[in-house]
Amino acid sequence: MAVGRLFIVSAPSGAGKSTVIRHLLEQDLVPAGSLELSVSHTTRLPRKGEQNGREYHFVDRADFQEMVRDDQFLEWAEVFGNLYGTSRRAVEPRLREGIDVLLEIDVEGARQVLERFPEACGVFLLPPSYQELERRLRHRALDSPQVIDRRLAVSSWEIRRYESYDYVIVNRDAAYAAQALAAAILEKRHRLSSQRDEVLEILRGFPAEECQSPQ
């Protein structure tokens, strides 16, 4: 059985990656059961409406640091004073089962994952403009003005890392961006290098003695 593939989605804070991924999964833009979103661990407090195990696994700093010492993360980083990490246990068994896994992680996390899995496919989500990113961050009213200013400052550095990714999607409309993300995933799946094992398995069912050119 072929192993699953890793797909990484990164974006500056406020660019809409969570909304785009939700559209992708809820609207079944890729075959159901073939792609799972890895839920990250974080030490930040849940926001209104967030549920433990759905948006994040919320843990305290001591537990997170113990996981780091035990090498339980594929990647982890401190972002705006909070720790975030992708559990190996949430990813590696799924890959062995042939299930593709989607990681919603920042630029630093993506760099760490690509060091371990250079074959992973990276997708970078861009806002249509700096002004629109600022509008989205202030409109969602999740952070203080000081934190928003810091997120905007960091976004200029993050966006310049786009060349480390295989695909770039400008998120002018979440539904369209989700379709573009699905197209990138499906294109990657149907490359010859990804399909070779299945093709060879199908070919085994064709009788070799009848193999001849139509000419």
Side-chain angles (χ1 to χ4, degrees):
M1 180 177 64
V3 298
R5 306 166 192 83
L6 269 179
F7 293 93
I8 299 168
V9 178
S10 300
S13 179
K17 63 182 179 297
S18 296
T19 302
V20 170
I21 289 172
R22 186 169 65 249
H23 274 280
L24 171 77
L25 298 176
E26 291 180 353
Q27 297 178 23
D28 292 330
L29 297 180
V30 296
S34 68
L35 179 71
E36 292 191 16
L37 175 65
S38 173
V39 178
S40 299
H41 286 65
T42 184
T43 60
R44 79 159 171 80
L45 295 175
R47 293 169 177 160
K48 183 178 180 180
E50 290 184 333
Q51 295 180 14
N52 186 43
R54 188 180 65 184
E55 282 79 15
Y56 287 98
H57 297 292
F58 296 99
V59 297
D60 62 30
R61 184 170 284 263
D63 287 341
F64 192 103
Q65 290 173 333
E66 183 176 356
M67 293 179 71
V68 171
R69 289 192 295 270
D70 292 341
D71 193 28
Q72 293 186 38
F73 290 117
L74 286 181
E75 58 82 25
W76 70 274
E78 184 163 0
V79 183
F80 301 114
N82 296 301
L83 300 172
Y84 295 82
T86 301
S87 167
R88 299 165 64 100
R89 190 176 298 175
V91 174
E92 292 174 344
R94 296 176 186 177
L95 296 178
R96 289 194 293 269
E97 292 168 6
I99 298 171
D100 291 348
V101 178
L102 183 62
L103 305 182
E104 180 186 347
I105 55 179
D106 68 0
V107 169
E108 171 57 23
R111 183 192 65 78
Q112 294 179 39
V113 172
L114 286 168
E115 286 182 354
R116 291 179 182 245
F117 297 90
E119 73 281 3
C121 177
V123 181
F124 197 87
L125 199 67
L126 278 169
S129 68
Y130 177 88
Q131 291 75 18
E132 176 61 16
L133 181 64
E134 181 177 15
R135 186 196 68 79
R136 292 177 185 178
L137 284 171
R138 299 197 188 282
H139 179 73
R140 72 182 191 177
L142 295 175
D143 301 300
S144 68
Q146 293 78 12
V147 171
I148 290 174
D149 289 343
R150 188 178 174 196
R151 290 187 188 279
L152 288 169
V154 171
S155 72
S156 295
W157 178 85
E158 291 176 313
I159 285 173
R160 285 168 173 78
R161 310 277 86 74
Y162 73 94
E163 290 186 342
S164 300
Y165 293 76
D166 300 289
Y167 302 94
V168 173
I169 299 170
V170 179
N171 182 21
R172 295 184 176 90
D173 174 79
Y176 178 84
Q179 292 176 358
L181 176 56
I185 292 170
L186 294 173
E187 189 275 335
K188 180 71 171 179
R189 287 180 176 180
H190 290 280
R191 290 182 183 181
L192 176 58
S193 57
S194 297
Q195 291 289 93
R196 192 177 301 278
D197 289 345
E198 185 170 1
V199 170
L200 292 175
E201 181 63 29
I202 292 171
L203 284 176
R204 291 190 186 98
F206 284 78
E209 62 272 14
E210 295 182 15
C211 179
Q212 58 181 312
S213 169
Q215 300 300 324

